Amino acid sequence: MSTLPLFPLNTVLFPGGVLPLRIFETRYIDMVRNCLRTDTGFGVCAIREGGEVGPAAEVHPVGTRAVIADWEGRADGLLGITARGEERFRILRTWVQPDRLLMAEVEYLPEPSAAAIPEEFLDLVTLLDRLLSELGPPYADLPRDAGNAAWVGARLGELLPVNLEAKQRMLESDDPLSRLFILRDAMLNLA
């Protein structure tokens, strides 16, 4: 078990992924400072109820521990960071600190085993390669594992505009092939 500050967001971060963020609320600026000072991470969790700004949101029970890969003071006066997803966790309990920062006691979850991509999903590899190349840094700089269904599903889950519930189900799934089926079904609903 471990204790993590949580950053509730309207998105999902998978292990191995990157997430650029603009930080402006005092509680998260303080959290980032502490993470940089102590070389620790924070939890990224999708919001179940509430908002990114204001009172502490209710979050889904599975999230990803993130570390700060890069940071910068932005011209607009905000703090810009790039978070890198490390490992999934399940929340055991939460509490809110006086500064409204949501904290959690978590247990880390094993990562799904690598699985080859079935032939019916090979078009997703091509789509992902094109997306990563067109998006530029930090996405284009990710080490690639295009033959691994878990990696391909995670990257597409982060990048495609599928609904948050589908992304969360993908994150919670321990089966890389199941993640691809969830993604495909969510993409078909976009059409």
Side-chain angles (χ1 to χ4, degrees):
M1 286 188 286
S2 185
T3 300
L4 283 176
L6 299 182
F7 201 142
L9 295 169
N10 286 311
T11 193
V12 170
L13 174 66
F14 289 83
V18 292
L19 181 62
L21 295 167
R22 291 183 311 158
I23 312 295
F24 55 89
E25 281 194 81
T26 303
R27 62 183 160 174
Y28 298 122
I29 291 171
D30 292 344
M31 179 193 76
V32 167
R33 281 189 190 133
N34 186 53
C35 288
L36 288 170
R37 184 175 43 253
T38 60
D39 197 27
T40 58
F42 59 93
V44 173
C45 291
I47 294 173
R48 182 185 299 203
E49 191 173 307
E52 290 183 353
V53 179
E58 183 180 322
V59 295
H60 285 274
V62 175
T64 301
R65 185 179 74 86
V67 295
I68 299 168
D70 196 13
W71 64 276
E72 66 176 348
R74 298 173 46 92
D76 58 8
L78 303 179
L79 175 62
I81 68 168
T82 300
R84 183 181 68 241
E86 292 289 311
E87 60 219 324
R88 296 179 310 150
F89 60 81
R90 180 176 317 283
I91 295 173
L92 302 175
R93 70 180 186 98
T94 62
W95 64 95
V96 180
Q97 294 188 156
D99 64 356
R100 298 182 312 153
L101 183 66
L102 185 61
M103 299 291 294
E105 185 176 286
V106 302
E107 65 179 353
Y108 291 102
L109 302 172
E111 280 310 302
S113 300
I117 297 185
E119 190 171 322
E120 67 184 291
F121 291 109
L122 289 177
D123 287 347
L124 293 179
V125 177
T126 304
L127 171 63
L128 178 58
D129 189 54
R130 193 173 81 235
L131 281 172
L132 291 175
S133 297
E134 289 177 6
L135 286 172
Y139 303 101
D141 301 333
L142 286 172
R144 298 187 186 195
D145 193 3
N148 180 350
W151 187 85
V152 170
R155 297 298 72 77
L156 286 171
E158 290 167 339
L159 297 173
L160 292 177
V162 297
N163 67 58
L164 187 59
E165 291 77 25
K167 291 181 182 202
Q168 184 65 33
R169 281 196 327 271
M170 290 175 64
L171 180 67
E172 292 178 10
S173 175
D174 292 327
D175 179 6
L177 299 181
S178 172
R179 287 180 177 184
L180 293 179
F181 282 103
I182 294 167
L183 180 65
R184 182 180 66 189
D185 291 347
M187 289 171 62
L188 290 173
N189 289 332
L190 291 175

